[in-house]
Amino acid sequence: KAGVTQTPRYLIKTRGQQVTLSCSPISGHRSVSWYQQTPGQGLQFLFEYFSETQRNKGNFPGRFSGRQFSNSRSEMNVSTLELGDSALYLCASSLDGQRNTIYFGEGSWLTVV
Amino acid sequence: KNEVEQSPQNLTAQEGEFITINCSYSVGISALHWLQQHPGGGIVSLFMLSSGKKKHGRLIATINIQEKHSSLHITASHPRDSAVYICAVRNFGNEKLTFGTGTRLTIIP
């Protein structure tokens, strides 16, 4: 079965712009979570969605937001981009997110210039 | 102090050696994950543990809940095992995932 699919894989944005990243989970998975990975901070949890509801949120400013659709696909949005938002953004899905194996997508590489 | 500490940060070994990567955490957890990340970014989940020991092929993961410690072992290491290994804990209560900084493993042929 198809894995977790993230689009786009690579993108370059200018400071002040906004960006939307998309994630299609494995079929049947209802939990989608998002992570930011940078060389300085490592992997950090952004938020988790389950059945279209945000179930958990990490310590990121309100410029970072997300949503989940009825088909479990998820998007995350970053507004007013800053240079420090340059990172690999990873999406992961699992059956219910709590006690199940998590499956990661290949990630979206965002560069802010 | 980070909630999740991994050691060593970097490890270089010869092919065939037995490898151990350690993870210590300071919070109550409901589960611990071992992840593998190859160059290019993709992350693969190796194990999810809440107690005891799990084995998959040449990989073994153990966890001691009382001591808040987990180890990942690789037997008969191979150059294809070269990757970054990341420990992540799911906090008991809020169920958020917190990650260690990773161990960069290089296996030399």
Side-chain angles (χ1 to χ4, degrees):
Chain A
K1 70 184 170 181
V4 179
T5 304
Q6 291 188 244
T7 56
R9 289 294 320 280
Y10 304 92
L11 65 167
I12 300 173
K13 291 286 188 178
T14 305
R15 268 183 303 175
Q17 287 186 315
Q18 65 100 27
V19 66
T20 299
L21 308 178
S22 179
C23 173
S24 294
I26 291 172
S27 177
H29 286 191
R30 296 166 66 189
S31 168
V32 174
S33 49
W34 289 89
Y35 306 88
Q36 181 197 64
Q37 187 176 33
T38 59
Q41 298 296 321
L43 266 167
Q44 293 182 283
F45 168 72
L46 277 158
F47 25 66
E48 181 196 1
Y49 288 87
F50 180 81
S51 293
E52 302 179 67
T53 301
Q54 187 180 87
R55 187 158 66 175
N56 246 319
K57 190 176 190 305
N59 298 324
F60 279 81
R63 300 186 296 107
F64 292 80
S65 63
R67 58 179 176 168
Q68 187 180 33
F69 301 96
S70 58
N71 62 359
S72 292
R73 191 178 70 85
S74 177
E75 288 181 348
M76 68 161 282
N77 184 277
V78 187
S79 62
T80 320
L81 284 165
E82 300 176 359
L83 295 179
D85 297 332
S86 296
L88 174 64
Y89 289 89
L90 289 153
C91 163
S93 77
S94 68
L95 280 171
D96 74 356
Q98 300 289 335
R99 306 287 169 92
N100 297 111
T101 299
I102 45 179
Y103 297 86
F104 286 83
E106 293 291 313
S108 293
W109 289 92
L110 170 66
T111 301
V112 182
V113 297
Chain B
K1 188 177 186 300
N2 292 331
E3 290 183 351
V4 183
E5 300 273 359
Q6 281 187 242
S7 63
Q9 283 190 303
N10 295 282
L11 177 57
T12 300
Q14 294 286 334
E15 183 175 356
E17 286 189 36
F18 181 82
I19 303 298
T20 296
I21 300 170
N22 296 298
C23 175
S24 296
Y25 52 92
S26 57
V27 297
I29 68 169
S30 58
L32 181 144
H33 297 260
W34 280 104
L35 310 171
Q36 179 193 57
Q37 186 172 31
H38 281 282
I43 294 179
V44 174
S45 178
L46 299 174
F47 295 102
M48 184 184 67
L49 296 159
S50 55
S51 65
K53 176 180 173 177
K54 287 190 176 180
K55 184 176 189 294
H56 182 71
R58 295 179 295 105
L59 273 58
I60 303 165
T62 63
I63 188 168
N64 185 317
I65 296 293
Q66 286 72 32
E67 294 186 4
K68 292 186 164 62
H69 181 269
S70 175
S71 293
L72 176 68
H73 305 286
I74 304 175
T75 62
S77 59
H78 189 276
R80 65 175 174 267
D81 297 326
S82 298
V84 176
Y85 292 84
I86 302 168
C87 168
V89 301
R90 192 172 287 282
N91 291 35
F92 185 81
N94 65 24
E95 298 292 336
K96 292 181 184 181
L97 268 184
T98 304
F99 298 87
T101 52
T103 295
R104 184 174 300 277
L105 174 65
T106 304
I107 303 297
I108 300 169

